[in-house]
């Protein structure tokens, strides 16, 4: 038995897109067959039927109506499938044999453009990663906005994951250049991101279309970046089957152009979503987002993901926020204008790709309408950022006028129904429309005329698709028809339908004109759309300006509403916050948020050891310092009475294992590898937040690790650090390591109970109040009193003495090291200390005034000391 011709065609096309679900257009439906049908019927809850395909078994089949296909496609995409859309590419009426069909587009999670499949407040990135011998390159593109970026860096997978977490792509390609340990790579990426991952073959850039497209930008890229961009663009091009005229530039950047944030820090600081529940509400983004447009909302997210490190750039933003805040009229006007602005950025992308309909052009026009107002409003601005925008502001009048004079005000959704082009724009269209109107009017009058002339009162003029216009006369009146007046066309149960030659002629005219108008309107529309898309660069630039104004306005509004202050940006290494608050916690707690001061610098106040019972507010306090610093560096005012912020190059956070259980993989190992990452990468200009390091192991191990970590940061790195710990033994470090200061969050004891005061004060907590907190949490009285009993026994026991002795030993070592350090600025170990002792003695020898015998003795003593080392 042989396959039917249609099935043969199906299988040939399926061969081109094996990794996709093929939506095969048959009439008004997209049908799926075989395995695709089985998957789709399961995932989309469709009825699985079958179709004869020429073989003994029927082919499993299911289908969706084409006009409602978008929601089905979106469900499949969300579930991580790719969908290939196969259309009839010739008119079935004209086709000889089987209608020609082709895949017109492949929809994948990273390449969707339909607004119904996208979150308007979020970019939708597709990325491409390439691992070279000593580093990686990354390219990312949001095809819904036209943004295309690339970078490369030394460093391994974890560094790449950190950078990827900034974009959180929906889809990732990895160039398969004989990658070792592919499974591990796949596992690591999939653990972190919810994305569609595919491996692609490396393609020599010489053959790549990218060379023709982005010639100007390519000179700044290295070979690996070129590879990466090449593969990514090729994939996009092949799935979209469209040259995507709105992707105009490839922008290269360096990782350290911005504050570096690793993946866990982004997560721990809850920048764009909460740790638990992954909600937007409760994140920093949520607290700061008062933007009016989707473009603004997306840019705000980007700014939060990419804090600045240039003092000048930060101040530019801050100054403009201040200017808007001080000018209430200006801000409220701008807010009103922005409310009316649609997503110009995504609209121009659709227009460039030829997928925009007439309503999209109207949305663009309605948005452009406000550009002159916005320009006029910001003409009063004096700050650099806003005045620069004003000077380069392009009100796009030509584009506005073009759409305004050509596209009807309320056009239909479909492009092939007519009614798109405005009257007076195209004489040919107007002429045909007039003919149509006249013809229709003649037909409309026909009923009355025929009734009068024949005297048949129930005579009707009607229309149906098969026979066109007709005159209908009931059987009882047939005899009243004048001889030869009508031509019989159709017989019904109790009526006859007739036509006249004149009616046919007018009908042809009307229907012919209708068809022509629709065709002509479509042609015109396409050419207007192409005209508009020529201005893509100008429109994209304005979309960006609107977004910047929107974010600055949002900053000024939240700053005003929440009493934020303008931070003073500095580079002397000092962070001095008075009455700082946590921007999110202060919004969500019931009751008053207690503000706290912070003082950190590069000299005597480098590391704060923060003790205090659980629930006292340690984590909140530390995150608040990190968030205030980050907010300052994105150019927003900060929740404090006053703040001086020295720019930090990186923020690191490590949140204790017990707090991180939600991810299901908080082993001690993970904790330690994160600490190791911090110790290896932090610099003097970094800010480190360590919450309960060492908790994931036994007390002795944990305390020892916490101790030595603090020591290492203090002596080797010098990074400003907040270190919360329940090992109050660590408070011993103050005075022994330069720069360490103790703080605790005060609590008030009230008999057996404690009251949290939330105020940070100098000094260490002398106990952990664990039992009191447990009592607060509602542990049964019996358990609480037994715990107290055990505690008092333990405190007298050997365990405690042991800890104390160990600390004593460490103290001696630490003191020795400090002395050496003050004499000569190096080393930390006892080993080095002895080595230096010898050097010091050598230096102290008064060679001119000693006898040879004395010299021999000194040499002997030194050599003995050296041998003992
Ligand atoms: P810890 O890290 O010491 O266990 P948290 O920082 O998690 O404590 O704080 C516990 C709770 O205390 C927070 O969820 C918050 O509701 C409240 N809290 C923390 N800091 C403050 C503050 N400064 N003012 C008011 N409430 C606070």
């Amino acid at each position: 038995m042989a396959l039917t011709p249609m099935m043969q065609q199906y299988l040939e096309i399926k061969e081109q897109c094996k990794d996709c679900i093929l939506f095969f257009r048959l009439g008004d439906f997209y049908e799926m067959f075989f395995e695709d049908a089985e998957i789709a019927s399961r995932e989309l809850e469709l009825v699985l039927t079958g179709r004869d395909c020429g073989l003994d078994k029927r082919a499993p089949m299911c289908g969706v109506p084409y006009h409602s296909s978008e929601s089905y496609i979106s469900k499949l995409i969300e579930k991580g499938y790719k969908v290939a859309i196969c259309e009839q590419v010739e008119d079935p009426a004209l086709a000889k044999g089987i209608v020609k069909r082709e895949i017109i587009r492949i929809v994948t999670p990273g390449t969707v453009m339909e607004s119904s499949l996208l979150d308007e407040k979020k970019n939708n990135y597709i990325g491409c990663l390439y691992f070279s011998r000593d580093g990686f390159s990354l390219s990312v593109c949001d095809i819904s906005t036209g943004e295309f970026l690339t970078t490369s860096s030394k460093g391994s997978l974890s560094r790449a994951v950190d950078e990827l977490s900034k974009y959180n792509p929906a889809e990732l390609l990895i160039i398969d250049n004989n990658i070792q340990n592919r499974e591990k790579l796949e596992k690591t990426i999939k653990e972190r991101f919810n994305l569609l991952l595919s491996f692609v073959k490396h393609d020599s850039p010489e053959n790549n279309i990218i060379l023709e497209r982005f010639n100007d930008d390519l000179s700044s890229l290295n070979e690996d970046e070129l590879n990466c961009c090449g593969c990514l663009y090729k994939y996009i091009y092949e799935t979209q089957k469209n040259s995507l005229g709105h992707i105009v530039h490839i922008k290269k950047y360096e990782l350290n152009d911005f504050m570096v944030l690793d993946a866990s820090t982004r997560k721990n600081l809850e920048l764009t979503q909460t740790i638990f529940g992954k909600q937007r509400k409760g994140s920093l983004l949520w607290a700061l987002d008062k933007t009016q447009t989707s473009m603004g909302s997306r840019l705000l997210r980007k700014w939060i993901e990419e804090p600045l490190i240039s003092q000048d750039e930060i101040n530019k933003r801050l100054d403009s926020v201040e200017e808007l805040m001080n000018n209430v009229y200006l801000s409220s006007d701008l807010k009103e204008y922005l409310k009316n602005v649609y997503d110009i950025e995504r609209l121009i992308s659709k227009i460039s790709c030829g997928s925009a309909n007439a309503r999209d052009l109207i949305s663009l026009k309605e948005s452009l309408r406000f550009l002159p107002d916005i320009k006029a409003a910001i003409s009063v601005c004096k700050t650099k950022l806003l005045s620069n925008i004003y000077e380069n502001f392009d009100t796009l009048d030509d584009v506005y006028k073009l759409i305004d004079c050509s596209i009807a005000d309320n056009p239909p959704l479909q492009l092939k129904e007519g009614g798109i082009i405005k009257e007076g724009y195209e004489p040919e269209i107007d002429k045909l429309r007039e003919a149509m109107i006249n013809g229709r009017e003649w037909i409309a009058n026909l009923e009355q005329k025929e009734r009068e002339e024949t005297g048949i009162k129930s005579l009707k003029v009607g229309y149906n698709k098969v026979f066109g216009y007709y005159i209908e006369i009931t059987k009882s009146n047939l005899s009243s028809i004048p001889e030869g007046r009508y031509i019989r066309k159709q017989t019904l149960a109790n009526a006859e339908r007739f036509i006249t030659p004149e009616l046919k002629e007018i009908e042809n005219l009307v229907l012919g004109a209708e068809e022509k108008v629709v065709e002509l309107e479509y042609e015109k529309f396409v050419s207007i759309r192409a005209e508009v898309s020529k201005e893509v660069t100008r429109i994209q630039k304005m979309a960006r300006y609107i977004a910047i104004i929107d974010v600055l306005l949002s900053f000024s509004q939240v700053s005003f509403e929440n009493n934020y202050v303008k931070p003073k940006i500095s580079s002397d290494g000092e962070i001095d916050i008075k009455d700082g608050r946590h921007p999110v916690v202060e919004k969500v707690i019931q009751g008053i948020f207690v503000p706290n001061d912070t003082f950190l610098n590069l000299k005597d106040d480098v590391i704060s050891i923060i003790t205090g019972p659980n629930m006292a507010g340690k984590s909140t306090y530390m995150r608040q310092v990190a968030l205030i610093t980050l907010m300052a560096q994105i150019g927003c005012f900060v929740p404090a009475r006053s703040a001086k912020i020295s720019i930090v190059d990186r923020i690191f956070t490590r949140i204790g294992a017990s707090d991180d259980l939600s991810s299901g993989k908080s082993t001690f190992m993970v904790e330690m590898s994160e600490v190791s990452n911090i110790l290896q990468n932090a610099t003097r200009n970094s800010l480190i937040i360590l919450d309960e390091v060492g908790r994931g192991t036994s007390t002795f191990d944990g305390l020892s690790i916490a101790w030595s970590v603090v020591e290492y940061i203090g002596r080797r790195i010098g990074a400003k650090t907040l270190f919360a710990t329940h090992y109050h033994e660590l408070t011993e470090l103050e005075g022994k390591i330069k720069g360490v200061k103790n703080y605790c969050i005060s609590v008030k004891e009230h008999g057996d109970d404690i009251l949290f005061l939330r105020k940070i004060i100098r000094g260490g907590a002398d106990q952990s109040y664990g039992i009191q907190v447990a009592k607060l949490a509602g542990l049964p009285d019996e358990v609480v009193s037994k715990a107290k009993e055990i505690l008092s026994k333990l405190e007298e026991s050997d365990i405690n003495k042991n800890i104390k002795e160990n600390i004593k030993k460490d103290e001696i070592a630490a003191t020795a090291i400090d002395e050496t350090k003050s004499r000569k600025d190096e080393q930390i170990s006892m080993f080095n200390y002895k080595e230096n002792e010898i050097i010091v003695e050598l230096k102290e020898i008064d060679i001119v005034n000693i006898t040879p015998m004395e010299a021999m003795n000194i040499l002997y003593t030194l050599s003995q000391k050296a041998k003992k080392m």
Side-chain angles (χ1 to χ4, degrees):
M1 288 180 97
L3 282 167
T4 58
M6 198 210 72
M7 263 306 149
Q8 265 175 27
Q9 186 191 39
Y10 172 84
L11 290 175
E12 273 161 28
I13 293 174
K14 177 68 199 175
E15 194 61 22
Q16 302 161 23
C17 59
K18 283 193 197 135
D19 59 343
C20 305
I21 295 195
L22 178 60
F23 271 41
F24 192 75
R25 182 73 180 265
L26 280 179
D28 283 346
F29 277 77
Y30 287 119
E31 302 288 3
M32 287 147 272
F33 297 104
F34 302 109
E35 203 190 338
D36 285 358
E38 278 156 13
I39 297 173
S41 72
R42 198 171 54 235
E43 300 284 15
L44 303 173
E45 293 176 23
L46 299 171
V47 182
L48 190 66
T49 57
R51 185 182 174 106
D52 286 329
C53 59
L55 304 177
D56 359 333
K57 258 175 60 189
R58 281 157 68 85
M61 174 177 98
C62 66
V64 298
Y66 96 99
H67 57 82
S68 61
S69 61
E70 213 167 286
S71 66
Y72 293 104
I73 295 174
S74 115
K75 271 190 204 140
L76 289 173
I77 299 299
E78 261 165 34
K79 289 171 187 258
Y81 295 98
K82 299 187 198 179
V83 177
I85 316 280
C86 171
E87 289 290 353
Q88 297 171 176
V89 291
E90 63 181 343
D91 188 342
L94 305 175
K96 290 199 193 85
I98 201 132
V99 185
K100 212 167 144 208
R101 289 184 175 83
E102 270 171 23
I103 297 176
I104 55 141
R105 190 181 151 206
I106 296 173
V107 190
T108 74
T111 61
V112 286
M113 286 202 86
E114 290 75 4
S115 7
S116 62
L117 307 185
L118 290 168
D119 178 346
E120 60 180 26
K121 296 191 165 188
K122 227 167 145 181
N123 280 100
N124 188 54
Y125 289 110
I126 174 164
C128 180
L129 253 182
Y130 173 74
F131 291 100
S132 57
R133 211 173 304 132
D134 57 348
F136 68 89
S137 296
L138 170 70
S139 301
V140 291
C141 179
D142 179 346
I143 76 163
S144 71
T145 64
E147 187 183 15
F148 198 144
L149 305 164
T150 190
T151 189
S152 56
S153 164
K154 299 230 170 329
S156 57
L157 175 61
S158 78
R159 193 67 204 78
V161 166
D162 290 343
E163 195 55 18
L164 270 181
S165 67
K166 179 153 118 188
Y167 301 103
N168 209 357
E171 187 170 0
L172 182 68
L173 313 174
I174 297 182
I175 300 182
D176 193 353
N177 50 334
N178 299 322
I179 293 171
Q180 314 274 312
N181 218 341
R182 196 161 138 164
E183 287 74 34
K184 184 178 163 232
L185 176 63
E186 215 168 328
K187 188 165 167 264
T188 312
I189 301 262
K190 288 212 164 141
E191 264 169 12
R192 282 279 180 185
F193 305 102
N194 178 19
L195 50 67
L196 177 68
L197 180 67
S198 22
F199 287 87
V200 290
K201 282 275 159 266
H202 176 281
D203 192 33
S204 102
E206 293 86 62
N207 304 332
N208 205 298
I209 29 176
I210 191 172
L211 286 179
E212 296 150 32
R213 260 310 284 282
F214 303 99
N215 220 350
D216 293 350
D217 298 321
L218 302 184
S219 56
S220 60
L221 310 188
N222 64 36
E223 198 178 320
D224 291 348
E225 289 163 344
L226 197 61
N227 269 338
C228 226
C229 292
C231 276
L232 181 56
Y233 185 70
K234 184 165 173 244
Y235 179 85
I236 296 173
Y237 183 77
E238 283 174 357
T239 51
Q240 302 309 293
K241 319 243 179 235
N242 184 310
S243 62
L244 304 164
H246 66 294
I247 304 181
V248 185
H249 288 300
I250 297 181
K251 192 168 161 222
K252 159 147 180 163
Y253 71 99
E254 303 292 340
L255 295 194
N256 47 14
D257 289 345
F258 301 99
M259 181 199 281
V260 177
L261 293 162
D262 53 61
S264 57
T265 300
R266 289 177 199 281
K267 183 173 133 211
N268 289 334
L269 292 180
E270 306 192 301
L271 295 185
T272 56
Q273 60 181 27
T274 56
I275 297 179
F276 302 106
K278 299 198 185 313
Q279 298 296 312
R280 180 184 171 97
K281 181 162 187 218
S283 68
L284 179 67
L285 177 63
W286 166 77
L288 299 186
D289 193 356
K290 296 275 175 200
T291 55
Q292 308 295 324
T293 69
S294 326
M295 295 169 283
S297 189
R298 289 197 296 270
L299 185 68
L300 170 60
R301 178 185 279 266
K302 201 171 168 61
W303 280 11
I304 290 176
E305 298 277 17
E306 271 185 356
L308 301 172
I309 50 167
S310 143
Q311 191 163 350
D312 198 35
E313 295 298 313
I314 297 170
N315 278 327
K316 270 195 211 159
R317 288 188 192 170
L318 288 171
D319 292 345
S320 291
V321 172
E322 185 177 37
E323 183 169 39
L324 291 171
M325 211 166 138
N326 290 339
N327 193 337
V328 184
Y329 294 116
L330 170 63
S331 335
S332 73
D333 283 352
L334 281 175
K335 200 169 144 188
E336 282 309 307
Y337 302 144
L338 290 178
K339 265 187 194 154
N340 299 294
V341 175
Y342 293 94
D343 199 339
I344 300 180
E345 198 181 24
R346 282 189 171 156
L347 284 171
I348 185 61
S349 303
K350 280 172 87 179
I351 292 170
S352 287
C353 291
S355 61
N357 60 27
R359 289 197 190 163
D360 292 326
L361 286 193
I362 292 297
S363 301
L364 178 66
K365 181 188 92 171
E366 288 306 316
S367 310
L368 300 186
R369 182 198 291 277
F370 290 91
L371 294 190
D373 290 331
I374 295 174
K375 182 167 185 180
I378 59 169
S379 67
V380 298
C381 293
K382 306 251 175 334
T383 54
K384 276 192 198 148
L385 193 50
L386 287 168
S387 60
N388 185 43
I389 290 181
Y390 170 73
E391 276 151 30
N392 293 293
F393 207 91
D394 177 352
T395 46
L396 297 166
D397 300 333
D398 48 337
V399 181
Y400 177 85
K401 279 192 197 129
L402 171 66
I403 303 174
D404 190 46
C405 71
S406 60
I407 308 289
D409 288 337
N410 283 310
L413 208 54
Q414 298 301 329
L415 291 177
K416 298 202 170 155
E417 282 178 3
I420 302 178
I421 302 294
K422 237 186 198 167
E423 219 183 294
Y425 178 71
E426 169 62 51
E428 183 66 24
I429 294 177
D430 290 348
K431 234 189 330 186
L432 288 164
R433 278 196 187 136
E434 204 182 297
M436 257 162 60
I437 292 167
N438 291 343
R440 282 206 191 113
E441 209 176 272
W442 183 89
I443 293 170
N445 292 334
L446 183 68
E447 193 172 271
Q448 194 54 35
K449 180 173 152 264
E450 293 299 313
R451 277 184 188 173
E452 279 166 14
E453 287 180 12
T454 59
I456 305 172
K457 291 221 169 54
S458 62
L459 179 149
K460 271 194 299 193
V461 172
Y463 176 82
N464 82 23
K465 267 194 175 164
V466 185
F467 296 106
Y469 288 100
Y470 55 79
I471 297 166
E472 187 176 299
I473 295 172
T474 52
K475 289 230 160 105
S476 55
N477 286 311
L478 288 178
S479 56
S480 317
I481 304 174
E483 184 70 27
R485 189 173 181 95
Y486 300 140
I487 305 164
R488 188 188 309 263
K489 196 75 197 166
Q490 191 188 6
T491 305
L492 304 180
N494 50 6
E496 294 278 334
R497 286 177 176 174
F498 303 90
I499 53 166
T500 66
E502 202 183 4
L503 178 60
K504 266 292 131 196
E505 198 180 306
I506 305 278
E507 177 190 292
N508 282 342
L509 195 111
V510 169
L511 297 183
E514 226 168 61
E515 207 172 284
K516 264 198 215 138
V517 163
V518 166
E519 214 169 278
L520 212 63
E521 285 200 60
Y522 179 71
E523 264 171 37
K524 272 285 143 197
F525 172 77
V526 170
S527 82
I528 295 162
R529 192 170 60 185
E531 268 311 285
V532 175
S533 65
K534 281 191 199 144
E535 306 308 327
V536 56
T537 320
R538 286 169 65 206
I539 298 174
Q540 279 177 344
K541 186 171 105 182
M542 289 318 297
R544 178 156 177 82
Y545 283 173
I546 299 282
I548 295 176
I549 296 173
D550 198 6
V551 178
L552 294 173
L553 202 59
S554 175
F555 281 171
S556 78
Q557 189 179 339
V558 284
S559 301
F560 176 77
E561 284 172 1
N562 301 298
N563 262 324
Y564 293 172
V565 291
K566 185 181 184 187
K568 189 174 171 323
I569 305 297
S570 144
S571 55
D572 65 5
E574 198 171 280
I575 290 184
D576 185 2
I577 301 168
K578 296 279 181 324
D579 283 346
R581 284 130 41 210
H582 190 297
V584 178
V585 176
E586 76 165 340
K587 285 179 100 80
V588 295
I589 55 163
Q590 285 154 350
I592 292 170
F593 188 90
V594 180
N596 274 307
D597 295 349
T598 306
F599 185 77
L600 293 166
N601 62 18
L602 298 175
K603 291 182 239 134
D604 300 324
D605 296 87
V606 185
I607 303 178
S608 302
I609 304 279
I610 304 166
T611 42
N614 271 326
M615 284 300 287
K618 300 184 296 297
S619 311
T620 308
Y621 174 71
M622 293 195 300
R623 283 167 207 237
Q624 136 190 341
V625 176
L627 289 175
I628 288 176
T629 308
L630 186 134
M631 283 168 73
Q633 289 189 231
I634 62 174
C636 184
F637 284 18
V638 298
R641 185 161 50 81
S642 75
K644 170 182 172 185
I645 303 292
S646 288
I647 293 169
V648 303
D649 61 355
R650 303 183 62 142
I651 296 178
F652 291 95
T653 61
R654 166 61 221 164
I655 306 294
S658 57
D659 291 337
D660 203 17
L661 281 170
S662 65
S663 65
K665 48 183 170 0
S666 67
T667 59
F668 179 60
M669 187 71 189
V670 172
E671 177 180 351
M672 285 302 113
S673 62
E674 285 191 18
V675 172
S676 147
N677 168 46
I678 297 176
L679 298 186
Q680 280 172 36
N681 293 304
T683 74
R684 230 165 91 92
N685 296 320
S686 305
L687 175 64
I688 305 178
I689 305 294
L690 295 168
D691 201 349
E692 301 286 13
V693 162
R695 206 175 188 174
T697 182
S698 74
T699 308
F700 281 166
D701 284 1
L703 177 55
S704 324
I705 291 168
W707 182 290
S708 56
V709 165
V710 175
E711 206 170 298
Y712 189 88
I713 295 174
R715 294 181 195 283
R716 289 288 175 109
I717 305 175
K720 287 181 278 294
T721 302
L722 299 174
F723 193 121
T725 180
H726 69 290
Y727 297 124
H728 40 263
E729 292 84 356
L730 286 187
T731 54
E732 305 275 340
L733 285 170
E734 178 173 328
K736 303 204 172 59
I737 299 175
K738 194 164 174 285
V740 173
K741 289 268 165 76
N742 291 330
Y743 290 89
C744 62
I745 310 233
S746 49
V747 292
K748 200 168 170 177
E749 278 185 86
H750 198 74
D752 254 4
D753 295 318
I754 51 167
L755 183 68
F756 296 116
L757 300 179
R758 314 273 184 225
K759 202 75 191 163
I760 189 147
I761 49 171
R762 279 283 279 128
D766 49 358
Q767 53 167 314
S768 50
Y769 298 99
I771 296 176
Q772 285 90 331
V773 176
K775 188 180 166 201
L776 271 184
L779 230 58
D781 288 347
E782 192 186 328
V783 176
V784 172
S785 52
K786 181 72 185 181
K788 268 199 244 159
E789 204 180 295
I790 297 172
L791 178 67
S792 62
K793 279 186 193 151
L794 279 177
E795 278 173 347
E796 289 316 308
S797 76
D798 283 351
I799 299 175
N800 206 37
K801 275 188 209 141
N802 246 333
I803 294 175
K804 288 201 168 133
E805 269 165 28
N806 271 308
I807 290 171
K808 266 264 136 33
K809 275 189 218 150
D810 261 346
E811 258 173 42
I812 296 164
T815 320
I817 295 158
D818 266 359
E819 280 165 7
T820 321
K821 194 170 190 298
S822 59
R823 270 192 260 165
K824 191 165 188 302
D825 200 28
E826 47 181 38
Q827 55 336 28
I828 57 159
S829 69
M830 288 301 281
F831 178 83
N832 280 339
Y833 168 60
K834 283 185 187 149
E835 200 170 64
N836 285 337
E837 200 180 42
I838 294 174
I839 292 169
V840 171
E841 281 184 33
L842 274 171
K843 279 187 182 168
E844 281 170 357
I845 302 171
D846 184 1
I847 295 186
V848 186
N849 293 315
I850 54 170
T851 65
M853 203 50 215
E854 279 169 331
M856 281 297 284
N857 281 336
I858 293 171
L859 191 58
Y860 177 77
T861 331
L862 288 177
S863 107
Q864 287 301 312
K865 275 190 183 166
K867 278 179 192 152
K868 280 188 204 145
M869 279 169 55

